[in-house]
Amino acid sequence: MFQRSENVGEDQLFRLIQGAGGELNGGTNQDLTMYYEVIPKNAIEMALWLESDRMGYLENTVTKSAFVNQQNVVQNEKRQGVDNQPYGFNEYLILKTSIQRGTRTAGMS
């Protein structure tokens, strides 16, 4: 979903960050999906420009197919990290049964 922007082509963001000695990845839990980058200090200006271009033109570059692709990535991470792990689903069940409806954190089911 975030693999291109208005001024940077498909998968070029990864090439530029990694070419500058950085790394980028993401992860998912019950509450969020996060993306992060670790970059050397001499690449800060480039990374900030890349991110501002991605976020500034997000509406123009997120397509239905890109969105579906990212949904599949998140679902696969859940299958690998939760569903296929011994007791992996326990945390969800514990939280679901211990949080009462009507509280701020009750929207987990």
Side-chain angles (χ1 to χ4, degrees):
M1 181 160 63
F2 301 119
Q3 297 178 0
R4 69 183 200 94
S5 68
E6 188 85 0
N7 299 296
V8 180
E10 189 83 21
D11 294 326
Q12 292 302 304
L13 176 106
F14 295 96
R15 185 187 61 78
L16 291 167
I17 294 293
Q18 291 169 342
E23 62 182 62
L24 57 165
N25 207 339
T28 302
N29 67 27
Q30 295 108 319
D31 294 328
L32 60 95
T33 297
M34 63 141 191
Y35 303 91
Y36 68 90
E37 297 170 16
V38 177
I39 55 168
K41 64 182 177 183
N42 65 340
I44 289 174
E45 188 174 333
M46 176 193 66
L48 289 174
W49 182 86
L50 289 168
E51 290 305 324
S52 69
D53 192 55
R54 268 203 313 182
M55 296 299 121
Y57 299 103
L58 189 62
E59 195 172 315
N60 300 339
T61 58
V62 176
T63 63
K64 178 69 174 170
S65 64
F67 188 75
V68 168
N69 174 274
Q70 289 304 304
Q71 284 180 315
N72 290 335
V73 168
V74 170
Q75 289 168 355
N76 188 50
E77 286 180 0
K78 181 181 177 288
R79 281 190 293 274
Q80 290 180 359
V82 177
D83 298 344
N84 291 333
Q85 299 298 319
Y87 309 106
F89 204 60
N90 281 3
E91 183 179 357
Y92 171 80
L93 293 174
I94 291 167
L95 289 171
K96 183 177 179 178
T97 57
S98 64
I99 297 174
Q100 297 179 5
R101 292 237 175 253
T103 62
R104 284 181 53 99
T105 56
M108 297 179 66
S109 56

